[in-house]
Amino acid sequence: MSMGRICTILAGAGFLLGVGLGEWGAISHWAIASYLLLAIITVGLIFYRLSRLPRVCQGECRDSARWLWPGLVFLLMLVLGNWRLGVARIIPATDASHYASQVVTLTGTVTNDPQISGSDTQFILRVATLDDNPQVTGRVLVKTKYYLNYQYGNFVAITGKLAVPEDTASGYGRYLSRMNIYATCDYPEIKVVKDFAGQAIWRWLYQVKHYFLNLAGQVVPEPASGLLAGLLLGVSSALPKNLLASFNATGLTHIIALSGFNIS
């Protein structure tokens, strides 16, 4: 195996390990700076020592020293992976989550295709203003009643109480934080201010998605049409509750997750 391939494999392994270790604790900034400084000094000393050796010995020593590179690459990527996760968990000072436990009025755009979950509908709101303050930003997960129909691109005004998702044993809070969502708002008052304020390409893609959902429902009977929607489009809400519960109980939920493997 070539040295380049070894370094590539170790770089990926180090980064993933750094992210995994970040679940238990982040490496401090001074430790990261110390490691980078130590790595630079080490590399400099290696080249300095090689340059001081007789020419006949430089080739053999250079072959031995090159095996230090995979170790340095692995450690560097481990530190970077840990640092990356730590940065992702830093909540911006302007995020709407800092107004948790308060009743506020938010305006913003629906940035995803609203998902049906049981008797509720959930969508992500990209905040434009909070109580007419345009400096407040962030993303808020909004839960509303099933029968209320909202679409991607709607510019809405909502009034409700913000909450910070609890990081329970299921890791729900951490799951949302990976999508830069640090606040939720359940069953607020919602008013559509403007029908569409998003990007046309995303609206078209969601329209195609719903076209195929409707087509599957017309051509294939239930529950097969719901399973087809889950396999091809990742829409678990189309599955009957008892079938979805069976998938959850048997640990086969990944089968109805949208993936290139399922599509192929």
Side-chain angles (χ1 to χ4, degrees):
M1 186 180 294
S2 66
M3 181 61 64
R5 183 170 297 181
I6 292 174
C7 287
T8 301
I9 294 173
L10 288 177
F15 188 85
L16 292 176
L17 181 60
V19 172
L21 292 175
E23 295 290 343
W24 288 275
I27 301 174
S28 61
H29 291 294
W30 70 265
I32 294 175
S34 299
Y35 168 75
L36 293 177
L37 180 61
L38 181 61
I40 293 173
I41 293 174
T42 301
V43 172
L45 288 175
I46 290 173
F47 279 104
Y48 174 76
R49 290 292 298 170
L50 287 175
S51 65
R52 302 287 293 181
L53 291 174
R55 187 175 298 274
V56 293
C57 298
Q58 286 186 8
E60 296 179 1
C61 293
R62 191 174 287 115
D63 290 337
S64 301
R66 72 191 183 99
W67 290 103
L68 292 173
W69 293 112
L72 290 172
V73 169
F74 175 80
L75 291 175
L76 175 62
M77 296 307 295
L78 185 146
V79 171
L80 289 178
N82 188 276
W83 170 81
R84 177 64 184 87
L85 184 65
V87 169
R89 289 184 173 178
I90 297 176
I91 302 177
T94 59
D95 193 84
S97 61
H98 295 294
Y99 295 83
S101 302
Q102 300 181 34
V103 177
V104 298
T105 297
L106 298 168
T107 63
T109 307
V110 178
T111 62
N112 70 322
D113 189 29
Q115 301 294 311
I116 298 173
S117 177
S119 60
D120 300 320
T121 298
Q122 295 182 345
F123 61 83
I124 299 172
L125 180 76
R126 184 178 68 241
V127 177
T129 65
L130 185 148
D131 290 340
D132 296 324
N133 181 2
Q135 295 183 347
V136 178
T137 59
R139 308 176 79 199
V140 177
L141 181 65
V142 180
K143 180 188 294 185
T144 185
K145 292 297 183 181
Y146 166 77
Y147 58 84
L148 297 175
N149 185 25
Y150 300 104
Q151 300 177 352
Y152 165 78
N154 286 159
F155 189 85
V156 298
I158 71 172
T159 300
K161 188 175 183 179
L162 291 180
V164 175
E166 296 182 3
D167 201 3
T168 58
S170 62
Y172 184 61
R174 284 181 292 175
Y175 166 74
L176 291 179
S177 69
R178 290 167 186 161
M179 298 184 288
N180 295 324
I181 298 173
Y182 304 104
T184 61
C185 188
D186 294 347
Y187 311 111
E189 296 179 8
I190 305 178
K191 178 183 178 181
V192 178
V193 178
K194 187 177 180 181
D195 286 336
F196 185 72
Q199 298 182 5
I201 182 63
W202 282 109
R203 178 170 64 174
W204 179 80
L205 288 173
Y206 287 134
Q207 288 173 345
V208 171
K209 169 186 172 181
H210 287 285
Y211 170 78
F212 279 111
L213 282 175
N214 294 331
L215 187 63
Q218 296 173 9
V219 176
V220 184
E222 291 287 356
S225 62
L227 180 59
L228 180 64
L231 289 171
L232 298 182
L233 300 172
V235 182
S236 59
S237 59
L239 288 169
K241 290 184 179 180
N242 59 340
L243 182 58
L244 184 58
S246 299
F247 274 107
N248 290 330
T250 55
L252 296 176
T253 315
H254 63 277
I255 293 178
I256 55 175
L258 183 61
S259 68
F261 178 80
N262 286 346
I263 293 176
S264 62

